[in-house]
């Protein structure tokens, strides 16, 4: 034990210095009268002056202290608990899984205690496909409804933004929120003209709190890289900061909603709430009230006569068009942000509309990435290893490119199974053996090398897969739709609506031909796969018949 402490002392001194610096920064950010940060400089004056600053400093120090404590305990747990195991032994893998779970549970407690941005960060980590499964499982509970703020605090934010009382702005305003998330909550209201609206209100002093929390996260990420040189996760904090900074500006969210509405203008089954700009600011967003229920509420879907499989199909189509054709992607498609609204009149085969909410987190994909990602999906479907290796290198996956088919399609590069049928037992065992030897350093290296656009589509794909599985959809359906839109996106002359009118008849004709060719090749592959299964089954039965016949013959011979 003494030897271990001696080995740890230099690093512990560094961590202690970092932790102290974090606490000082956290206090200074809120205690100084003129903070040197651009975001905080735009904040309105806090009530009660110095008293509010002292309270904010106390809260900042408390939140940072919890984070530092969690970081320290988790670091020691990883270092000490795994130190005496052979990193290739079964005992090591079991111990590592247990440490992952303990670390994830501590992070969950931290997020629940600090709320706000920590919950958002926990959701971000929990939705990533390349972190250990223990973290995904434990942190998934953070997707549930958050605890709302009291009405008087929300009232102050609204009245502070518009300089009027709520009674002067709205004819009616429900004090009980209809939804609450990590950064804001939504209330139902009625305008003076009688129109029903939804009012999204940011929690008080959130932007100032963001300055404290993000600096704590930056500091701790540097400490992690210092203690564990293979673990380079500072880029996660950078991406998280960029994403949350955009989400804190509700005017930008309104612009995202309007752009998405334009992108789907020709799709009457996709609904985006209209923004009421005269009652929208950086911290308050007023929009058309959209009726419906959560997309994963299968009981209400069936009660309304809506087929969950059709809902899953429309959902995948909408997001596939976003990724492969528009290059403008909703980055947070969890069930609370997607509603289903039954239609009074059925048009075509669909008797419902898909309502997209919460447009705060979007990413506009680079045009080169969009084109390469379309090509990658075509190669994934056809298991074209040469094309996949080239694109994997272009997209930053490096030698990890061989795992891209598993991530997106659920089958390895050399798979003999049909599309959407998953892996055979031997393939699954082989993959399990390879993955169990991955270290967090491998995960860090893989994810750090990927373009940030790639991380966005990875996260979106994971969230959509979770929803479609709850709706009972097959993996094959999701894969075929993505393949279709990848071909459409690849044939486009420019990003946008993949329809004939905006892309030209030549591009449209080429896309139809390429997709038909792709489907034909897939069907031929499936047919050969089924013939292989049938041949194997017949061969097995024939062997069984021969063995039984030979057995009977030998028994007869033995009697005679």
């Amino acid at each position: 034990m003494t030897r271990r402490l001696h080995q740890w002392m230099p690093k512990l001194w560094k961590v202690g210095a970092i932790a102290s610096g974090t606490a000082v920064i956290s206090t200074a950010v809120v205690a100084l009268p003129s903070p040197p940060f651009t975001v905080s400089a735009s904040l309105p004056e806090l009530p009660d002056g110095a008293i509010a600053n002292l309270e904010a400093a106390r809260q900042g120090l408390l939140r940072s202290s919890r984070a530092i404590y969690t970081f320290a305990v988790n670091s020691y747990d990883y270092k000490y608990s795994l130190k005496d195991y052979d990193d290739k032994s079964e005992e090591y893998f079991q111990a590592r899984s247990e440490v992952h779970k303990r670390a994830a549970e501590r992070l969950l407690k931290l997020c629940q205690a600090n709320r706000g941005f920590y919950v958002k960060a926990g959701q971000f980590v929990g939705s990533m496909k390349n972190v250990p499964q223990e973290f995904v499982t434990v942190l998934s509970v953070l997707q549930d409804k958050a605890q709302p703020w009291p009405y008087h605090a929300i009232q102050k934010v609204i009245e502070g933004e518009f300089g009027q009382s709520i009674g002067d702005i709205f004819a009616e305003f429900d004090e009980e929120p209809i939804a609450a998330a990590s950064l804001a909550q939504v209330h139902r209201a009625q305008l003076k003209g009688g129109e029903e609206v939804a009012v999204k209100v940011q929690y008080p002093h959130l932007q100032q709190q963001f300055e404290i929390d993000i600096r704590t996260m930056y500091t701790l990420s540097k400490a992690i890289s210092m203690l564990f040189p293979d673990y380079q996760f500072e880029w996660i904090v950078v991406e998280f900061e960029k994403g949350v900074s955009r989400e804190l500006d509700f005017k930008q969210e309104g612009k995202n909603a309007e752009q998405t509405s334009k992108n789907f203008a020709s799709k009457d089954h996709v609904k985006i709430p209209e923004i009421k700009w005269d009652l929208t600011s950086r911290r308050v967003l007023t929009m058309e009230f959209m009726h419906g229920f959560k997309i994963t509420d299968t009981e209400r879907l069936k009660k309304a006569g809506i087929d969950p499989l059709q809902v899953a199909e429309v959902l995948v189509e909408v997001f596939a068009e976003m990724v492969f054709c528009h290059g403008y992607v909703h980055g947070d498609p969890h069930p609370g942000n997607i509603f289903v609204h039954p239609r009074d009149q059925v048009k075509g085969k669909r008797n419902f509309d898909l309502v997209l909410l919460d447009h705060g987190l979007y990413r506009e994909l680079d045009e080169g990435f969009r084109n390469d990602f379309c090509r990658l999906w075509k190669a994934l479907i056809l298991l074209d290893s040469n094309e996949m290796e080239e694109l994997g290198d272009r997209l930053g996956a490096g030698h990890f490119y061989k795992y891209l088919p598993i991530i997106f399609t659920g089958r390895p590069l050399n798979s003999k199974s049909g599309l959407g049928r998953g892996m055979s037992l031997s393939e699954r065992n082989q993959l399990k053996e390879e993955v169990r030897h991955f270290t967090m350093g491998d995960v860090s290296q893989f994810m750090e090398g990927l373009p940030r656009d790639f991380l966005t589509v990875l996260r979106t794909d994971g969230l959509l897969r979770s929803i479609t599985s709850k709706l009972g959809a097959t993996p094959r359906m999701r894969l075929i739709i993505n393949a279709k839109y990848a071909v459409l996106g690849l044939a486009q002359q420019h990003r946008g609506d993949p329809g004939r009118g905006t892309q030209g008849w030549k591009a449209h004709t080429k896309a139809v031909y390429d997709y038909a060719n792709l489907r034909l090749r897939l069907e031929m592959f499936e047919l050969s796969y089924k013939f292989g299964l049938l041949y194997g089954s017949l061969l097995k039965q024939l062997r069984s018949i021969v063995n039984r016949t030979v057995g009977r013959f030998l028994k007869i011979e033995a009697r005679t």
Side-chain angles (χ1 to χ4, degrees):
M1 188 69 173
T2 304
R3 187 177 64 210
R4 287 198 183 99
L5 284 175
H6 279 298
Q7 292 171 345
W8 268 61
M9 282 307 293
K11 292 181 178 179
L12 286 175
W13 276 111
K14 292 180 182 179
V15 174
I18 289 170
S20 301
T22 301
V24 170
I25 289 171
S26 302
T27 306
V29 166
V30 289
L32 292 175
S34 300
F37 304 119
T38 54
V39 176
S40 295
S42 64
L43 287 173
E45 283 293 317
L46 293 172
D48 303 325
I51 296 176
N53 282 341
L54 288 173
E55 174 58 22
R58 186 186 73 83
Q59 288 292 332
L61 184 59
L62 181 63
R63 293 162 65 82
S64 298
S65 298
R66 291 193 190 110
I68 292 165
Y69 170 79
T70 302
F71 156 77
V73 175
N74 277 354
S75 298
Y76 184 78
D77 198 359
Y78 274 102
K79 280 282 188 181
Y80 179 74
S81 300
L82 302 177
K83 188 174 181 62
D84 297 326
Y85 291 101
D86 179 356
D87 62 5
K88 295 182 180 180
S89 67
E90 187 67 33
E91 292 79 8
Y92 171 81
F93 297 128
Q94 180 63 34
R96 187 180 65 177
S97 177
E98 292 172 358
V99 175
H100 283 335
K101 185 178 180 183
R102 290 197 298 269
E105 287 171 346
R106 293 187 194 105
L107 284 177
L108 176 61
K109 289 180 180 178
L110 172 65
C111 295
Q112 291 171 332
N114 281 358
R115 298 174 58 184
F117 298 105
Y118 284 87
V119 171
K120 200 74 181 174
Q123 292 172 343
F124 184 80
V125 173
S127 64
M128 297 173 74
K129 300 177 69 170
N130 304 95
V131 299
Q133 185 60 39
E134 292 85 355
F135 284 86
V136 175
T137 302
V138 172
L139 296 177
S140 63
V141 303
L142 293 173
Q143 297 291 351
D144 295 338
K145 184 178 178 180
Q147 182 180 352
W149 278 62
Y151 170 70
H152 66 82
I154 297 302
Q155 181 182 4
K156 284 184 179 180
V157 173
I158 296 174
E159 293 179 348
E161 289 295 295
F162 300 118
Q164 302 178 66
S165 69
I166 281 189
D168 291 335
I169 302 171
F170 302 102
E172 295 180 11
F173 192 93
D174 291 353
E175 295 188 7
E176 289 295 320
I178 56 175
S182 55
L183 306 182
Q185 62 193 52
V186 181
H187 291 256
R188 187 198 307 261
Q190 190 180 86
L191 300 180
K192 294 292 186 179
E195 184 179 358
E196 189 179 24
V197 293
V199 185
K200 183 177 179 179
V201 187
Q202 197 174 110
Y203 296 138
H205 314 314
L206 204 58
Q207 296 195 26
Q208 188 178 33
Q209 190 183 86
F210 179 55
E211 295 291 348
I212 304 169
D213 291 345
I214 204 66
R215 276 157 178 73
T216 303
M217 293 176 189
Y218 266 124
T219 306
L220 293 180
S221 69
K222 289 181 181 296
I224 289 174
S225 64
M226 189 182 301
L227 285 174
F228 305 91
D230 290 338
Y231 297 7
Q232 299 297 322
F233 292 120
E234 292 176 52
W235 61 268
I236 295 182
V237 182
V238 174
E239 286 305 301
F240 177 71
E241 181 187 18
K242 289 178 181 177
V244 173
S245 295
R246 291 191 290 266
E247 283 193 85
L248 288 176
D249 184 357
F250 286 178
K251 286 186 176 181
Q252 182 59 49
E253 179 173 345
K255 292 176 184 177
N256 293 339
E258 286 197 338
Q259 182 60 53
T260 303
S261 184
K262 290 177 184 177
N263 290 345
F264 287 101
S266 63
K267 312 293 192 300
D268 66 341
H269 59 281
V270 180
K271 303 298 182 185
I272 314 293
E274 179 187 350
I275 306 301
K276 309 299 179 183
W277 286 109
D278 56 332
L279 291 175
T280 292
S281 69
R282 283 182 61 86
R283 298 202 296 160
V284 178
L285 176 65
T286 306
M287 64 198 121
E288 173 189 4
F289 192 91
M290 306 298 286
H291 293 270
F293 43 85
K294 281 177 64 171
I295 190 170
T296 52
D297 191 344
T298 53
E299 288 187 11
R300 292 190 67 179
L301 286 174
K302 293 174 182 177
K303 199 171 183 179
I306 298 172
D307 184 356
L309 295 180
Q310 283 191 7
V311 173
E313 183 180 349
V314 171
L315 175 70
V316 176
E317 285 178 349
V318 166
F319 278 86
E321 187 170 328
M322 280 187 185
V323 172
F324 297 109
C325 301
H326 301 164
Y328 197 71
V329 185
H330 189 307
D332 196 20
H334 68 76
N337 291 339
I338 307 170
F339 281 6
V340 175
H341 178 242
R343 276 182 168 175
D344 295 330
Q345 295 181 342
V346 179
K347 292 183 180 180
K349 65 177 183 177
R350 299 185 179 112
N351 59 344
F352 62 90
D353 294 323
L354 201 67
V355 182
L356 301 182
L357 303 171
D358 196 349
H359 300 269
L361 188 59
Y362 266 75
R363 189 170 191 95
E364 186 170 4
L365 304 180
D366 175 78
E367 184 64 7
F369 171 82
R370 185 188 69 81
N371 192 274
D372 282 344
F373 194 63
C374 290
R375 289 177 58 197
L376 176 65
W377 256 93
K378 188 175 178 181
L380 287 170
I381 296 298
L382 297 175
L383 291 177
D384 185 339
S385 59
N386 294 330
E387 179 82 346
M388 217 177 299
E389 183 174 5
E390 177 191 340
L391 290 167
D393 188 58
R394 285 165 60 95
L395 292 171
H399 65 279
F400 292 108
Y401 81 91
K402 64 180 181 179
Y403 296 108
L404 294 178
I406 298 168
I407 292 172
F408 287 110
T409 69
R411 58 179 182 168
L413 184 59
N414 58 350
S415 178
K416 299 296 186 291
S417 63
L419 183 65
R421 299 182 187 277
M423 292 177 277
S424 66
L425 182 60
S426 61
E427 290 170 346
R428 194 178 300 276
N429 289 336
Q430 181 182 349
L431 175 64
K432 184 178 179 181
E433 189 61 30
E434 290 180 18
V435 170
R436 72 188 308 185
H437 289 90
F438 278 11
T439 65
M440 290 292 282
D442 293 324
V443 175
S444 170
Q445 181 187 349
F446 170 59
M447 298 186 69
E448 191 176 14
L450 296 177
R452 301 305 168 244
D453 288 352
F454 207 137
L455 294 174
T456 297
V457 297
L458 265 176
R459 181 173 187 269
T460 300
D461 181 72
L463 291 169
L464 291 177
R465 192 180 303 191
S466 174
I467 294 174
T468 55
S469 66
K470 291 176 182 176
L471 294 172
T474 63
R476 179 179 170 82
M477 179 273 291
R478 181 181 62 84
L479 298 175
I480 288 295
I481 291 174
N482 277 326
K484 173 184 176 181
Y485 279 90
V487 171
L488 287 172
L490 198 57
Q492 285 183 171
Q493 295 174 346
H494 51 81
R495 69 170 70 218
D497 191 322
R500 185 193 303 267
T502 59
Q503 297 295 337
W505 68 269
K506 288 185 179 180
H508 184 79
T509 302
K510 182 179 185 304
V512 171
Y513 171 79
D514 286 346
Y515 178 61
N517 183 42
L518 178 63
R519 284 300 300 265
L520 179 61
R521 293 172 69 178
L522 283 175
E523 293 303 329
M524 292 297 292
F525 181 86
E526 287 289 291
L527 191 61
S528 65
Y529 169 75
K530 289 177 181 177
F531 271 127
L533 289 180
L534 180 61
Y535 174 76
S537 177
L538 289 174
L539 191 61
K540 185 178 179 180
Q541 290 184 21
L542 181 60
R543 285 174 179 168
S544 177
I545 292 171
V546 170
N547 288 337
R548 287 200 303 268
T549 303
V550 171
R552 288 172 186 164
F553 176 76
L554 291 175
K555 286 180 181 179
I556 293 172
E557 284 292 313
R559 288 174 189 169
T560 59

